[in-house]
Amino acid sequence: MAAFRLPPLPTVREIIKLFNLRAQKQLSQNFLLDLRLTDKIVRQAGKLKDAHVCEVGPGPGGITRSILNGDIAQLLLVEKDTRFIPGLQMLSEAAPGKVHIVHGDILTYKMERAFPKHLQKKWEDDPPNVHIIGNLPFSVSTPLIIRWLENVSNRDGPFVYGRTQMTLTFQKEVAEVDVSVVHFTPLVQPKIQQPFKLVEKVVKSVFQFRRKYCCRGVEILFPEAERLEKSEQMLMLADVDPTLRPAQLSILHFKNLCDAYRKMCDEDTNLFSYNYREELKQKKRIRKKGHLEQSEQEDQL
Ligand code: SAM
């Protein structure tokens, strides 16, 4: 059977003009107009024949066209900005029965109900024929990928279908045309066998001071009174050189740090709930109160 091709359509540039779709820089919108580039991005997703695809933030539809030319079964478009809906409808009419448009926010959209149940595969099996593709602004793709990593760990959200693959572009700067494309396939076995929230806390803390030695970030996992002693203990347990910078740490380093932190949390059940920012805020409140009391005493004198 011949592969599906979209019929002749106005170009993405013409659609932008037709619907007056100026990119809103404050929303970090920037559009990919070169179909060779969008084809290249979509190729990174692998074979899309008969695939069920969710495209996040299709905008004027450059990547959308490349996906539709890939002979897919179903394409779900989730776009937040109303201005793009008429242009996307035009694409939908050019590929009858394949496209479903959702005007909504991908951060709240429930993808677990979007595709037919029969697509579900066991986690240990090959990935299902379900893909997520998108070119989103950094401000959205960063929280989104963290949320999806948690979903991977819980096997919920887009991962109720199994090890759903994601192909996402990460824009460096708004004005830069250069984008990096990252393709993710969840592993059957995670490299770090600890709860997501624990891994997230360790990684976030270490990267809190990204230009300093990694020991600085490890320190903030512990209350001030025992900070130096406990952070040294954790680094020693994990066998990590405290003078490495966060970006020099490998996955194995992070695994060892998470395992060491887990051991320490098991020994001290209050440790995991400790929050560095909260301690700082509390200290500030106490200082402010002390200051107020002191000035009241001075007033009375
Ligand atoms: N994919 C198009 C392209 O490559 O030309 C547009 C890319 S533009 C950088 C990002 C798109 O994501 C915009 O269309 C914007 O409206 C949409 N967007 C931003 N935040 C979103 C969100 N939370 N949910 C859905 N779409 C979003």
Side-chain angles (χ1 to χ4, degrees), residues 4 35 43 73 99 122 127 131 142-143 149 165 182 186 217 221 229 268 292 299:
F4 175 84
L35 282 188
R43 271 201 299 275
V99 181
K122 282 202 193 112
H131 292 255
T142 308
L149 290 177
Q165 299 176 68
V182 186
L221 288 164
E229 178 202 331
D268 171 358
L292 282 176
D299 284 349

Side-chain angles (χ1 to χ4, degrees), residues 21-24 27-32 54-64 75-89 91 99-109 111 133-137 140 144 171:
L21 303 174
R22 245 166 316 144
Q24 294 191 346
L27 293 179
S28 303
Q29 288 177 346
N30 104 10
F31 307 139
L32 301 175
C54 173
E55 187 193 352
V56 290
I63 295 181
T64 320
L75 176 59
L76 172 72
L77 303 172
V78 183
E79 173 55 62
K80 195 177 171 184
D81 189 336
T82 340
R83 297 176 307 140
F84 296 115
I85 305 297
L88 295 173
Q89 266 156 358
L91 278 179
V99 181
H100 178 66
I101 303 168
V102 174
H103 174 217
D105 187 333
I106 192 61
L107 291 166
T108 50
Y109 182 69
M111 214 182 296
I133 300 178
N135 171 30
L136 283 168
V140 182
L144 196 59
Q171 283 171 235

Side-chain angles (χ1 to χ4, degrees), residues 33-235:
L33 307 177
D34 179 352
L35 282 188
R36 278 168 309 182
L37 179 62
T38 55
D39 281 350
K40 214 167 153 187
I41 292 172
V42 171
R43 271 201 299 275
Q44 299 299 313
K47 272 201 208 124
L48 287 185
K49 185 158 168 40
D50 299 328
H52 294 252
V53 182
C54 173
E55 187 193 352
V56 290
I63 295 181
T64 320
R65 291 172 189 234
S66 297
I67 297 172
L68 283 171
N69 279 326
D71 221 5
I72 50 133
Q74 182 190 2
L75 176 59
L76 172 72
L77 303 172
V78 183
E79 173 55 62
K80 195 177 171 184
D81 189 336
T82 340
R83 297 176 307 140
F84 296 115
I85 305 297
L88 295 173
Q89 266 156 358
M90 189 186 269
L91 278 179
S92 165
E93 280 154 24
K98 289 199 180 199
V99 181
H100 178 66
I101 303 168
V102 174
H103 174 217
D105 187 333
I106 192 61
L107 291 166
T108 50
Y109 182 69
K110 299 229 173 305
M111 214 182 296
E112 51 271 49
R113 295 195 218 121
F115 297 116
K117 274 212 168 110
H118 69 81
L119 296 171
Q120 281 181 359
K121 292 257 189 120
K122 282 202 193 112
W123 192 260
E124 300 71 24
D125 288 350
D126 286 341
N129 206 356
V130 177
H131 292 255
I132 300 173
I133 300 178
N135 171 30
L136 283 168
F138 225 56
S139 57
V140 182
S141 50
T142 308
L144 196 59
I145 195 68
I146 293 174
R147 163 123 17 124
W148 281 342
L149 290 177
E150 183 163 15
N151 289 145
V152 168
S153 137
N154 298 330
R155 301 182 188 179
D156 58 14
F159 307 96
V160 292
Y161 305 100
R163 294 185 296 123
T164 299
Q165 299 176 68
M166 299 173 275
T167 307
L168 304 173
T169 66
F170 288 86
Q171 283 171 235
K172 287 176 201 147
E173 293 294 337
V174 180
E176 258 181 89
V177 194
D178 251 11
V179 287
S180 352
V181 185
V182 186
H183 180 77
F184 301 81
T185 308
L187 297 172
V188 174
Q189 285 292 340
K191 294 211 171 173
I192 304 178
Q193 305 244 4
Q194 295 294 353
F196 180 85
K197 289 287 179 205
L198 184 141
V199 180
E200 186 186 29
K201 189 174 181 190
V202 171
V203 176
K204 259 191 179 168
S205 302
V206 170
F207 275 96
Q208 194 75 46
F209 305 97
R210 54 180 64 234
R211 289 177 201 283
K212 304 239 165 99
Y213 292 151
C214 67
C215 59
R216 183 69 193 90
V218 169
E219 281 173 15
I220 67 172
L221 288 164
F222 302 97
E224 195 179 10
E226 49 185 1
R227 188 161 288 156
L228 284 181
E229 178 202 331
K230 289 286 169 87
S231 55
E232 266 176 33
Q233 192 186 333
M234 179 168 149
L235 285 155

